[in-house]
Amino acid sequence: MKRRYAQVGTGGRARMYYEAVAGTYKDINEMVAFCDISTTRMDYANSVLEELGASRVPEYLPHEFEKMIDETHPDVVIVTSVDRTHDDYIIRAMRKGCDVITEKPITINEEKAQRIIDSAKETGRHIRVAFNYRYAPHHTKIRELIEDGVIGKPTSIHFEWLLNTDHGADYYRRWHRNKLNSGGLLVHKATHHFDLVNFWLGSEADTVFAFGNLAFYGQAAAERRGVEKFYYRCHGSETAKDDPFAIDMEKKPTLKALYLDAENDGNGYIRDRSVFSDDISIEDTMNVLVKFRNGVQMSYSLTSYMPWEGFNVAINGDKGRIEYTALEKPYINAGGDKADEGATVYHKIRVCPMFGKAYDVEIEEKAGGHGGGDPALLDDIFLPEPPEDRFHRAADYEDGIKSALIGIAANKSIASGLPVNVRNLVQW
């Protein structure tokens, strides 16, 4: 008997899941329903199902969520909606007897996190968090090196992530620009990175201190650089034609179908806002200090207006050091080949033993988005008996919350100017 899936949220992030269910894993799984605020986006998702040879599924609006479950009887609900709504749909699905697969971040603040914890205990349902970065071979290799003791006991980490002016700018055009929707990039984006560190170390955060500001995007920062002409959105704007940060959805078929055409639904969402608006409430320059429960210290930075995209990581131990760097392909969600998302142009892992010669580590190459992580993640989620995994990369709701709490604590520290004890944010 096939496992039945309903999906809430059918925007750019959604396709990887419903395409996998109706395509690669169609012999053992099936889509039974979509839920979204936009009938245009649900119609687009149904057109993809038809292209894959599957049948169209019923479409429901958010207020019909429980009705959808009652009528279509899904075993699992996939949550790929706006971040601020994740907790609501996760909890409503569990209370209706469904398991859940959710996109990261699992949620955006400690109150919502506590609701998920309490409901998971109350219902006994299972939640999977889609941390695809864990599955990329080069990220898994770091876990292997640490686990095998090549640098001894880890003591400190420096983790620098750079978003370029293509991918990075996109967060300031869409709903992510409002911290009430996304928790800011320290939650929405950095949850990936904080989860990697938790995964590599087998630990979780104890104390967080952070700084952050809007130094490049937004109207005030642009005015300081001498910008004089501003606009509300790209579509229909003459001023936007001269702005290298503008995005023309008319020229990108998937963006047009999912967002520009969906404006006719009357839900008010505009996907191509100016990145130099005066109502952006997230930061673009962030620095975080973290002390983990196992004693490891981390300095972390995230900057979203850089000339290249990728990361530099250094992990120091009492027997040596791992130096890890990558250049990634820039990608705009739903604006190009999804296999390019998180794909590495170049990556290198170098081990520097304390009393030995440094050497480069061979890394397995795999196809697929997020450095080859997406296909492995999907196997782990949708196969009834996924491959044996020495590294236990499957992430549950506790992993999702422990990752998000670092960003949540960082936001609180930025607001207060004080360190934040992560242990005090939720009760397990």
Side-chain angles (χ1 to χ4, degrees):
M1 188 172 180
K2 291 185 177 182
R3 195 156 174 80
R4 300 167 63 83
Y5 292 86
Q7 187 161 359
V8 55
T10 55
R13 183 62 61 197
R15 181 167 178 165
M16 179 179 80
Y17 299 94
Y18 64 72
E19 192 172 54
V21 171
T24 307
Y25 308 96
K26 63 184 178 182
D27 292 339
I28 51 176
N29 299 293
E30 63 180 331
M31 292 300 304
V32 298
F34 289 129
C35 179
D36 198 293
I37 62 172
S38 168
T39 56
T40 299
R41 280 196 288 276
M42 288 190 285
D43 287 346
Y44 177 87
N46 262 319
S47 73
V48 174
L49 295 188
E50 289 180 313
E51 290 172 9
L52 294 169
S55 300
R56 294 177 68 90
V57 300
E59 301 174 0
Y60 297 84
L61 295 172
H63 70 275
E64 300 174 306
F65 183 77
E66 281 79 9
K67 178 183 176 183
M68 174 187 74
I69 293 175
D70 289 340
E71 291 183 349
T72 64
H73 310 290
D75 300 300
V76 182
V77 172
I78 303 170
V79 178
T80 47
S81 56
V82 174
D83 295 349
R84 65 173 164 77
T85 66
H86 285 187
D87 66 306
D88 183 53
Y89 289 123
I90 289 169
I91 291 167
R92 289 163 70 186
M94 290 193 298
R95 288 178 176 168
K96 295 294 288 185
C98 300
D99 290 331
V100 176
I101 297 167
T102 182
E103 254 296 337
K104 60 82 197 167
I106 189 170
T107 194
I108 64 169
N109 62 42
E110 67 272 30
E111 293 85 6
K112 291 174 181 287
Q114 189 66 61
R115 289 185 65 218
I116 293 172
I117 292 169
D118 294 344
S119 295
K121 290 179 179 177
E122 169 195 326
T123 63
R125 306 310 306 183
H126 187 247
I127 308 171
R128 283 290 300 272
V129 183
F131 281 129
N132 38 19
Y133 266 133
R134 287 185 174 203
Y135 293 82
H138 46 295
H139 292 322
T140 303
K141 178 61 72 171
I142 299 297
R143 163 80 172 236
E144 180 181 348
L145 293 170
I146 292 173
E147 195 172 279
D148 290 350
V150 299
I151 59 167
K153 180 182 181 299
T155 56
S156 67
I157 297 176
H158 173 68
F159 196 136
E160 175 190 28
W161 199 282
L162 301 88
L163 294 168
N164 78 343
T165 50
D166 190 9
H167 180 198
D170 202 44
Y171 292 108
Y172 303 85
R173 300 184 186 108
R174 47 195 176 131
W175 57 261
H176 308 72
R177 62 196 264 131
N178 186 331
K179 191 170 277 195
L180 292 175
N181 286 331
S182 66
L185 293 185
L186 285 171
V187 174
H188 176 83
K189 181 64 180 176
T191 191
H192 263 320
H193 314 148
F194 297 145
D195 176 69
L196 280 177
V197 178
N198 288 346
F199 172 64
W200 290 339
L201 297 178
S203 190
E204 59 190 273
D206 180 84
T207 307
V208 171
F209 181 71
F211 292 104
N213 68 346
L214 192 63
F216 183 82
Y217 299 108
Q219 187 166 337
E223 287 175 342
R224 287 194 297 270
R225 295 194 305 277
V227 177
E228 297 179 350
K229 295 182 178 180
F230 296 90
Y231 59 93
Y232 181 72
R233 65 174 301 183
C234 173
H235 186 66
S237 169
E238 286 297 316
T239 302
K241 292 179 180 179
D242 297 322
D243 182 9
F245 291 91
I247 184 171
D248 188 350
M249 292 191 290
E250 287 280 6
K251 296 180 179 179
K252 296 182 180 294
T254 304
L255 284 177
K256 181 179 183 300
L258 287 175
Y259 300 107
L260 188 59
D261 294 349
E263 291 177 20
N264 294 324
D265 293 339
N267 57 56
Y269 181 52
I270 296 174
R271 171 68 174 77
D272 62 346
R273 293 288 306 280
S274 168
V275 301
F276 301 119
S277 304
D278 61 0
D279 59 350
I280 295 171
S281 59
I282 65 173
E283 299 84 9
D284 57 25
T285 308
M286 295 143 277
N287 288 276
V288 184
L289 293 175
V290 183
K291 184 180 75 174
F292 290 87
R293 294 192 183 184
N294 63 358
V296 175
Q297 303 169 34
M298 178 175 71
S299 58
Y300 171 85
S301 70
L302 175 59
T303 312
S304 58
Y305 47 91
M306 292 293 95
W308 61 275
E309 176 129 345
F311 57 86
N312 294 301
V313 177
I315 305 172
N316 302 310
D318 57 14
K319 294 182 180 179
R321 172 182 171 97
I322 296 171
E323 297 175 347
Y324 179 27
T325 188
L327 174 66
E328 293 194 346
K329 288 183 180 180
Y331 174 83
I332 295 175
N333 189 261
D337 184 348
K338 61 182 179 297
D340 285 343
E341 185 172 13
T344 53
V345 178
Y346 161 88
H347 52 243
K348 180 178 181 179
I349 299 175
R350 188 168 179 80
V351 174
C352 306
M354 187 171 288
F355 298 108
K357 185 178 180 180
Y359 59 92
D360 294 341
V361 176
E362 185 176 347
I363 307 169
E364 181 183 9
E365 300 286 345
K366 287 189 176 181
H370 291 96
D374 286 351
L377 167 73
L378 294 173
D379 277 352
D380 211 7
I381 288 176
F382 292 121
L383 290 177
E385 296 183 9
E388 187 75 20
D389 185 4
R390 164 191 165 183
F391 302 105
H392 306 290
R393 290 172 292 185
D396 61 14
Y397 79 94
E398 293 189 24
D399 297 312
I401 289 174
K402 288 173 182 177
S403 165
L405 284 176
I406 300 178
I408 291 166
N411 281 336
K412 296 176 76 67
S413 179
I414 291 169
S416 69
L418 299 171
V420 175
N421 188 324
V422 179
R423 294 175 190 245
N424 294 337
L425 294 179
V426 298
Q427 298 297 315
W428 295 96

